Amino acid sequence: MARSQATKILGSIASKLCKQKNPCLSSQSRHFAAAPSPPPAVFVDKNTRVICQGITGKNGTFHTEQAIEYGTNMVGGVTPKKGGTEHLGLPVFNTVAEAKAETKANASVIYVPPPFAAAAIMEAMEAELDLVVCITEGIPQHDMVRVKAALNSQTKTRLIGPNCPGIIKPGECKIGIMPGYIHKPGRVGIVSRSGTLTYEAVFQTTVVGLGQSTCVGIGGDPFNGTNFVDCMKKFLEDPQTEGIILIGEIGGTAEEDAAALIKESRTQKPIVAFIAGLTAPPGRRMGHAGAIVSGGKGTAQDKIKTLRDAGVTVVESPAKIGAAMLNVFKERGLVN
Amino acid sequence: MARGLMNKLGSRTISIAGKWQQQQLRRLNIHEYQGAELMGKHGINVPKGVTVSAVGEVKKAIQEVFPNEKELVVKSQILAGGRGLGTFQSGLKGGVHIVKADEVEAIAGKMLGQILVTKQTGPQGKVVSKVYLCEKLSLANEMYFAITLDRTTAGPIIIACKKGGTSIEDLAEKFPDMIIKVPIDVFKGITDEDAAKVVDGLAPKLADRNDSIEQVKKLYKLFCECDCTMLEINPIAETSDGQLVAADAKLNFDDNAAFRQKEIFALRDSSQEDPREVAAAKADLNYIGLHGEIGCMVNGAGLAMATMDIIKLHGGTPANFLDVGGNASEGQVVEAFKILTSDDKVKAILVNIFGGIMKCDVIASGIVNAAKHVQLKVPVVVRLEGTNVDQGKRILKESGMALITAEDLDDAAEKAVKASSTAGVNNQSVANCRRDFSEFQTNKLKARLVDIQR
């Protein structure tokens, strides 16, 4: 019953979105007020203003506290029926649209349970936020397929996730569940399907002194908002990102698509990759809905070969990611 | 109005918040007879059939359902493919037999309660608790039909081919134009035009075109309503009297939808699953049993896979994949330990936690607690990093437990392999791991065609 209601809501929001005109065509007007800050190089920076959908829940509360402690620009939260109250010193609103109007937020992080998370994403899309980061794991695929179709029909909002650890620009903005202290502002961009495996790469690059420019967790679901190619494009153009680490997994073709982009770009930036699941037995779902290997497609070996052909340094041990990046930096004369 | 409904859903969020965390159920696979029943309920033509769980039920079943049949198909019900070419441990060859009506009881008696080994069950085979008695159809034409969710078109896609059967994969390679793909707009749903394209792709010779179009629409409806991730009918066939029939079907259901598909998930048959995995599912742990010697407990699927990879790199053999996830409670950690230590092959346990949502102190308390409930006969290597790491390390130190602590992934894997090998090399488990790996390289699933879309 709730499902058919949710389906109707998803449908009605989606059809509204499809009717919206392309925002790029809206008229330009001159303002002599303070010029808006330039858009972030890789989705977030110190100017990003973030609200939390699901702020009063257990996860929402814990991670908003951590975000505030880290220095993220948290400006409010959304929990239906709790609008008008305060939580962790932030104003709580009933809807994303209200929150955006009051706080001028341009990003949202979602800690909403799976039955309602897709609707939460759609709500943020309808409110035209620049960025939505959905941490929730366990959203039904049929729901995400609708979200994805709606996302594809507009250009204003970017979704990262679901089932992802989030995105962090060390020292500036932390949206998600990653432990802040392991990060260090620096030179390497990291994009990953995994959560905790990303922390390994972060820790290693911090330890070898390179630090990170931006780390994006795209998540492990088969239907998600942002993939390797989207992040790669930003990293290739970002001057702060001098090296790129890609962490992939068995299943799907996201890594192969990234390899094609890398080859085409002819970039000189060092790129290191690790693909998890080389030793996974086939046909078994290893936690991520997207990581199913069947009959030869989406195997780790295929991905490793394709990436190597594109000039990427692929390491076979997850403990050697940081060391490998430092090596390539040394080879290219980027460190003393 | 939409806002009011959203608010209503939102308030339920607060009360259900505790329950939603327990959604990590295993992938759902159902028996052929259950799939047939489900399809029948949705108005899809399926061969007439009845299940029996005991030899004594056969006579009555035949009298009631097949009074006039001369021959019947007797099919072992196990959750694995390759039944036709499988062998029973008792010696009987073949899990599917076509016999005369008066021979059904005898053959069913040789199947029920016996273990059937096929290419997909592994050498230990699976027990046949039920057999499915089906009408023997005279099939004029066998075609292929499947629906899945496609990443490229971000929506459902229907795949049809006018030649079905077991060689569908070779066909797909040699004659790709014979495979018709019809993406469906997820908001519009299946249109008559879409369904007609599918039927043209199937190119049935006898079946009524309009009836076939309706069957396709009903299959799509089932796919959506039941949260299927895949629905494959191979073969979908025509009977000599012009009916389109789903002669065999494989249905996969989205684990994430369990909360709203209670009836379907109640069909789960635990007798077909690894008992360790059944125990893990009860505790809402994401666990897959393998055959090695190092039990693993990790948070995060990617890190868990990488941990298995690095164990292998150091010459060890992982006994399992286990992702405790981000919201594991102390109780779940205790359960995880019980499962790992109940595995006789496990010679050492590696706990590798990089806490994000998962807090190191929760894991540490869980480990200490587990040691009280469970006889820890094997060495335990613990590597903690991330949220609340200092508290976690302190809890372990103060417990006085004899644990081996490790600093990073390499260190952890090395110590775990060393700990497991000083316990004595188990040649059988090394052979098992080699077999896992060669299965990995040569195993092919029949649903691969559908995965071309993935």
Side-chain angles (χ1 to χ4, degrees):
Chain A
M1 220 197 5
R3 175 167 190 261
S4 59
Q5 286 173 344
T7 309
K8 279 192 199 135
I9 292 165
L10 292 181
S12 73
I13 293 178
S15 62
K16 275 188 214 158
L17 283 169
C18 294
K19 287 184 195 143
Q20 277 166 2
K21 295 206 170 74
N22 186 329
C24 297
L25 299 174
S26 58
S27 58
Q28 295 174 331
S29 50
R30 281 213 170 167
H31 286 291
F32 291 100
S37 25
V42 190
F43 311 130
V44 296
D45 62 21
K46 60 184 187 293
N47 297 314
T48 307
R49 300 172 65 78
V50 190
I51 51 171
C52 174
Q53 288 172 258
I55 190 173
T56 52
K58 187 176 115 182
N59 283 322
T61 302
F62 180 77
H63 290 289
T64 302
E65 268 171 347
Q66 299 259 309
I68 293 170
E69 211 178 285
Y70 190 80
T72 306
N73 208 355
M74 296 298 308
V75 297
V78 178
T79 297
K81 290 214 171 164
K82 294 216 167 163
T85 63
E86 207 185 69
H87 191 64
L88 304 174
L90 296 173
V92 180
F93 301 90
N94 283 321
T95 68
V96 175
E98 283 169 16
K100 180 183 172 190
E102 284 298 310
T103 65
K104 309 282 178 271
N106 55 2
S108 166
V109 61
I110 295 180
Y111 293 101
V112 170
F116 316 109
I121 299 173
M122 297 290 245
E123 193 193 339
M125 231 193 289
E126 207 190 25
E128 295 191 3
L129 291 178
D130 293 339
L131 180 70
V132 179
V133 182
C134 184
I135 309 298
T136 308
E137 174 171 12
I139 302 180
Q141 288 185 38
H142 279 254
D143 286 359
M144 272 317 297
V145 147
R146 295 174 119 80
V147 169
K148 184 80 185 165
L151 274 170
N152 288 346
S153 72
Q154 54 88 59
T155 53
K156 182 78 169 102
T157 305
R158 164 161 296 282
L159 169 69
I160 294 180
N163 187 12
C164 78
I167 177 173
I168 178 171
K169 186 166 198 319
E172 295 189 30
C173 179
K174 175 172 116 77
I175 300 183
I177 59 172
M178 66 287 283
Y181 80 91
I182 60 173
H183 299 76
K184 173 178 129 129
R187 310 160 72 178
V188 178
I190 302 183
V191 56
S192 166
R193 282 165 69 176
S194 162
T196 48
L197 183 52
T198 316
Y199 309 158
E200 292 287 345
V202 166
F203 203 55
Q204 290 170 32
T205 44
T206 296
V207 161
V208 302
L210 290 174
Q212 308 83 34
S213 54
T214 308
C215 306
V216 188
I218 62 174
D221 276 6
F223 297 98
N224 58 21
T226 296
N227 56 26
F228 286 133
V229 165
D230 300 322
C231 296
M232 274 290 157
K233 284 185 184 154
K234 295 286 183 185
F235 282 147
L236 290 173
E237 286 172 14
D238 173 29
Q240 187 187 348
T241 301
E242 298 177 60
I244 303 168
I245 291 177
L246 187 153
I247 300 181
E249 295 176 1
I250 50 176
T253 56
E255 291 81 0
E256 288 83 339
D257 296 340
L261 176 76
I262 292 167
K263 207 169 187 178
E264 206 187 297
S265 74
R266 297 186 215 275
T267 181
Q268 293 304 307
K269 297 190 182 183
I271 305 183
V272 171
F274 171 71
I275 308 296
L278 187 59
T279 58
R284 307 306 302 275
R285 187 187 129 154
M286 299 268 186
H288 285 164
I292 295 181
V293 170
S294 350
K297 290 277 184 289
T299 62
Q301 285 120 323
D302 286 341
K303 291 171 191 295
I304 290 173
K305 181 171 186 309
T306 313
L307 285 163
R308 282 189 175 144
D309 285 345
V312 174
T313 306
V314 183
V315 293
E316 303 230 329
S317 166
K320 302 273 187 271
I321 300 170
M325 181 57 86
L326 186 65
N327 255 354
V328 186
F329 263 55
K330 282 187 178 150
E331 281 170 18
R332 311 254 173 118
L334 294 166
V335 280
N336 308 322
Chain B
M1 202 237 349
R3 186 165 292 174
L5 275 171
M6 289 279 280
N7 284 344
K8 266 198 207 137
L9 292 174
S11 66
R12 281 168 64 188
T13 305
I14 317 301
S15 58
I16 297 175
K19 287 185 202 162
W20 82 263
Q21 290 168 6
Q22 301 174 358
Q23 292 307 329
Q24 294 232 308
L25 288 168
R26 295 264 306 115
R27 170 198 195 132
L28 179 67
N29 221 345
I30 60 174
H31 286 290
E32 177 188 11
Y33 75 89
Q34 292 168 316
E37 208 175 281
L38 187 63
M39 289 194 291
K41 273 198 200 134
H42 277 78
I44 295 154
N45 299 332
V46 291
K48 198 158 50 162
V50 61
T51 37
V52 295
S53 323
V55 181
E57 296 173 8
V58 173
K59 257 208 179 79
K60 187 157 175 252
I62 294 184
Q63 266 172 2
E64 285 179 356
V65 185
F66 300 112
N68 301 318
E69 306 288 328
K70 299 231 167 46
E71 281 184 311
L72 287 171
V73 188
V74 182
K75 303 175 121 182
S76 310
Q77 297 296 287
I78 57 168
L79 288 176
R83 291 171 298 164
L85 296 171
T87 309
F88 284 88
Q89 277 181 359
S90 57
L92 175 66
K93 283 202 177 10
V96 177
H97 286 262
I98 303 176
V99 297
K100 296 207 187 60
D102 55 9
E103 290 170 0
V104 171
E105 206 173 310
I107 197 98
K110 293 202 184 116
M111 292 181 179
L112 284 166
Q114 300 296 328
I115 305 234
L116 177 61
V117 181
T118 78
K119 270 194 178 142
Q120 290 184 25
T121 59
Q124 74 281 6
K126 289 200 193 282
V127 67
V128 178
S129 319
K130 285 181 157 64
V131 294
Y132 192 42
L133 310 177
C134 293
E135 61 175 323
K136 179 174 173 297
L137 295 168
S138 50
L139 298 175
N141 182 18
E142 294 188 1
M143 303 157 279
Y144 177 92
F145 175 94
I147 315 180
T148 188
L149 291 172
D150 179 38
R151 294 189 205 208
T152 321
T153 55
I157 191 163
I158 303 185
I159 303 169
C161 182
K162 62 181 173 201
K163 273 207 151 29
T166 48
S167 52
I168 186 76
E169 295 151 28
D170 297 326
L171 201 103
E173 250 185 81
K174 294 201 187 104
F175 305 107
D177 291 339
M178 278 182 73
I179 311 292
I180 308 300
K181 296 173 202 158
V182 182
I184 308 291
D185 181 321
V186 72
F187 291 111
K188 273 203 216 125
I190 189 168
T191 59
D192 285 336
E193 211 184 300
D194 294 329
K197 274 196 201 138
V198 175
V199 173
D200 290 339
L202 291 172
K205 302 191 177 93
L206 299 167
D208 178 78
R209 191 180 151 80
N210 285 335
D211 283 350
S212 303
I213 287 176
E214 286 310 305
Q215 284 288 292
V216 167
K217 284 160 91 175
K218 287 186 171 136
L219 282 160
Y220 179 79
K221 190 156 176 266
L222 190 164
F223 179 80
C224 293
E225 278 181 12
C226 298
D227 275 301
C228 295
T229 51
M230 195 195 69
L231 186 160
E232 182 190 58
I233 305 187
N234 189 22
I236 187 165
E238 301 182 87
T239 58
S240 45
D241 57 350
Q243 283 241 302
L244 202 64
V245 172
D248 190 11
K250 285 188 176 54
L251 295 109
N252 289 344
F253 300 92
D254 183 6
D255 289 12
N256 289 347
F259 68 87
R260 62 186 187 200
Q261 297 289 352
K262 297 208 160 59
E263 259 181 52
I264 293 192
F265 278 78
L267 299 175
R268 180 188 299 280
D269 182 355
S270 315
S271 75
Q272 302 284 305
E273 298 177 33
D274 182 331
R276 298 174 296 175
E277 296 181 15
V278 176
K282 278 211 183 85
D284 292 317
L285 293 165
N286 213 342
Y287 173 96
I288 293 176
L290 301 167
H291 303 280
E293 299 186 312
I294 298 178
C296 306
M297 176 155 62
V298 186
N299 67 319
L303 187 59
M305 285 193 279
T307 304
M308 284 162 56
D309 293 342
I310 200 173
I311 286 175
K312 280 242 172 122
L313 275 172
H314 281 264
T317 56
N320 66 279
F321 164 95
L322 172 57
D323 170 13
V324 294
N327 280 303
S329 63
E330 209 182 285
Q332 283 173 293
V333 175
V334 173
E335 277 312 303
F337 254 90
K338 284 189 185 162
I339 293 168
L340 293 180
T341 50
S342 71
D343 187 344
D344 288 329
K345 297 205 198 80
V346 167
K347 299 261 174 328
I349 291 178
L350 170 53
V351 179
N352 182 18
I353 300 290
F354 208 127
I357 273 193
M358 182 82 247
K359 299 177 196 144
C360 292
D361 53 332
V362 172
I363 284 277
S365 301
I367 296 174
V368 170
N369 227 331
K372 295 186 188 139
H373 287 101
V374 169
Q375 271 280 340
L376 277 180
K377 298 171 242 154
V378 298
V380 177
V381 178
V382 183
R383 183 276 183 133
L384 293 178
E385 196 56 79
T387 311
N388 293 359
V389 59
D390 292 332
Q391 286 107 300
K393 285 183 176 170
R394 194 183 58 235
I395 290 174
L396 290 179
K397 191 159 168 212
E398 287 171 2
S399 73
M401 277 176 75
L403 296 168
I404 304 167
T405 51
E407 284 312 306
D408 59 40
L409 263 181
D410 252 339
D411 193 28
E414 208 178 293
K415 285 180 171 154
V417 173
K418 194 156 165 222
S420 71
S421 57
T422 49
V425 174
N426 181 335
N427 288 323
Q428 184 54 50
S429 81
V430 172
N432 285 342
C433 274
R434 288 222 185 90
R435 191 208 60 225
D436 276 343
F437 201 74
S438 73
E439 264 175 25
F440 173 59
Q441 289 173 322
T442 62
N443 199 11
K444 291 177 188 212
L445 295 175
K446 286 212 174 139
R448 188 205 307 176
L449 174 68
V450 175
D451 286 356
I452 288 171
Q453 302 305 318
R454 290 198 182 279

